[in-house]
Amino acid sequence: GLERVGIPALQAQSSVADQGSCVVAVDDEGERTFISKDGAESMLDPRQFEPINPSVFDWILLSGYALAYAGSRDALHEWLKTLPSRCNFVLDPSPVLVQATNARLQQAMSKASWISANEAEATAITGLATAEQAAGALAAMLGHDGQGAVVRCGAEGCWLAQRGGPAVYLPGFFVNSIDTNGAGDAHVGAFIAALANRMRPLEAARYANAAAALSTLRRGGATAPNDLETRDFLGQQPRHGQGATAGCFAK
């Protein structure tokens, strides 16, 4: 899929391990439970980063899973030190990294320009009770180049806090969800794509809410809508402040 749109793989195929696997159970309301086992994606050594030049990328997204795996965390910890200042770097902490809150999480946050976390992750990292409070605290915890934080709240939408400003609520969109698998990933990806297209952060968060909602209308994990589908959907929605009617998408 990446090759079809001209995105090269910068790592050679592993000769010693298979890719990890994830079994997803989806209930009648579209919510899901994961049973996963990591594989080749959790094995990195510093030499594998030699072909990677971060300065040529427009945006970098790092999953907290990779920072938590025993076989990849040390190499990534060293690589993060090499990221140039003012790099467009987004951190999605993941539940496993939050459970192992440590210097690696703090280092990644110090390098991140944006952090996108679900509500449970955000409140666990900050120790605060609400998504609104956690969004503001996460934005303040970023390094000196940090721009802000997004806290995804499932069907309710998300909170966005830009550094130095109050957290703003972006309501979700009503859809008849059938599978929320991958909706959080769709939200993060759409938010980055919108920022890359020079959309303002609040509009980018609303765009991400729409993309995440649409992704729940299809079965499977790789169901993010394209830009045209997302813009068409947004064009059909009423505007209430910065958002729209509350709806259904995953954390």
Side-chain angles (χ1 to χ4, degrees):
L2 293 173
E3 289 175 351
R4 285 196 297 271
V5 294
I7 299 175
L10 300 182
Q11 301 293 326
Q13 182 175 351
S14 172
S15 61
V16 297
D18 290 329
Q19 187 77 359
S21 62
C22 182
V23 177
V24 184
V26 182
D27 67 21
D28 290 340
E29 295 181 355
E31 291 295 337
R32 71 277 186 271
T33 299
F34 297 137
I35 305 170
S36 59
K37 178 66 177 73
D38 59 286
E41 78 284 356
S42 68
M43 303 173 187
L44 291 170
D45 68 62
R47 292 171 296 176
Q48 291 176 277
F49 289 93
E50 293 175 0
I52 301 176
N53 178 9
S55 63
V56 305
F57 300 139
D58 293 324
W59 287 83
I60 297 171
L61 170 65
L62 178 62
S63 165
Y65 284 101
L67 272 176
Y69 292 139
S72 59
R73 60 193 180 199
D74 291 337
L76 276 167
H77 181 70
E78 292 303 313
W79 179 74
L80 281 174
K81 297 178 182 178
T82 70
L83 285 183
S85 60
R86 300 193 180 279
C87 174
N88 290 321
F89 168 46
V90 180
L91 174 67
D92 183 356
S94 84
V96 292
L97 187 61
V98 170
Q99 291 169 8
T101 300
N102 51 32
R104 292 184 180 87
L105 174 58
Q106 296 171 12
Q107 181 205 29
M109 291 183 65
S110 74
K111 290 282 189 175
S113 47
W114 287 93
I115 182 169
S116 177
N118 68 31
E119 184 174 3
E121 295 159 0
T123 54
I125 292 171
T126 62
L128 297 172
T130 69
E132 178 182 6
Q133 294 170 333
L138 286 175
M141 292 167 67
L142 300 179
H144 63 275
D145 291 325
Q147 297 179 44
V150 177
V151 177
R152 310 184 305 269
C153 300
E156 283 72 39
C158 69
W159 286 89
L160 181 140
Q162 297 182 70
R163 188 161 189 168
V168 178
Y169 176 55
L170 287 303
F173 297 91
F174 179 80
V175 294
N176 294 315
S177 302
I178 62 171
D179 186 350
T180 59
N181 184 31
D185 294 327
H187 195 281
V188 178
F191 181 70
I192 294 173
L195 292 179
N197 284 325
R198 302 186 182 279
M199 205 176 285
R200 292 176 298 176
L202 286 175
E203 287 298 313
R206 183 173 184 267
Y207 178 92
N209 282 355
L214 287 174
S215 77
T216 71
L217 300 178
R218 303 164 182 165
R219 297 193 185 280
T223 55
N226 62 32
D227 179 59
L228 181 60
E229 291 170 322
T230 305
R231 290 181 183 273
D232 284 348
F233 177 79
L234 280 170
Q236 300 169 22
Q237 305 305 312
R239 295 298 296 263
H240 298 296
Q242 293 290 338
T245 54
C248 303
F249 61 83
K251 298 179 182 179

